[in-house]
Amino acid sequence: QEQLVESGGGLVQAGGSLRLSCIASGTIFSGNSMAWYRQAPGKQRELVAAITGGGSAHYPDSVKGRFTISRDNGKNTLYLQMDSLKPEDTAVYYCNAYYIKYDWGQGTQVTVSS
């Protein structure tokens, strides 16, 4: 019914790239700003990218210039292109709506080695 399924994580060396995907149910996706979050061990979940329904993207300074969020409304899919990855990007990455939080999915693990 209401579901978030993340994929695309993996192990990559510093400087490498990954592209994450999130398939959301239409109930979650339609009419909502969407976002990617991450949570590293021992740390709180933090926002890494957000995108409005109209495609306006926003990023914190920690990832600005390296990460790109996009969405395909027809496929109810959210993407996160991650370039120039750093070890500090290592975390479990989650997607969700921005203003309304639905039950979290399982996330996808991103591990960046040096």
Side-chain angles (χ1 to χ4, degrees):
Q1 182 77 311
E2 295 179 344
Q3 191 174 43
L4 295 159
V5 182
E6 301 94 342
S7 63
L11 175 64
V12 64
Q13 291 188 333
S17 298
L18 286 172
R19 191 189 193 211
L20 308 184
S21 297
C22 168
I23 301 175
S25 66
T27 301
I28 296 173
F29 204 89
S30 181
N32 279 329
S33 293
M34 298 293 294
W36 284 97
Y37 303 82
R38 68 186 181 190
Q39 187 167 26
K43 294 187 176 181
Q44 289 191 269
R45 184 181 288 112
E46 65 172 339
L47 178 73
V48 295
I51 186 168
T52 68
S56 180
H58 305 272
Y59 311 91
D61 289 341
S62 59
V63 307
K64 193 172 298 180
R66 300 189 298 118
F67 290 10
T68 303
I69 189 172
S70 61
R71 63 192 292 162
D72 186 329
N73 293 332
K75 296 180 178 180
N76 290 336
T77 302
L78 185 71
Y79 303 98
L80 185 67
Q81 177 67 44
M82 304 185 295
D83 299 316
S84 301
L85 283 163
K86 304 175 180 179
E88 51 262 46
D89 295 319
T90 295
V92 178
Y93 284 70
Y94 303 88
C95 63
N96 214 321
Y98 181 75
Y99 294 106
I100 303 172
K101 294 299 185 295
Y102 295 87
D103 289 345
W104 298 94
Q106 81 287 350
T108 184
Q109 176 71 50
V110 172
T111 303
V112 185
S113 65
S114 59

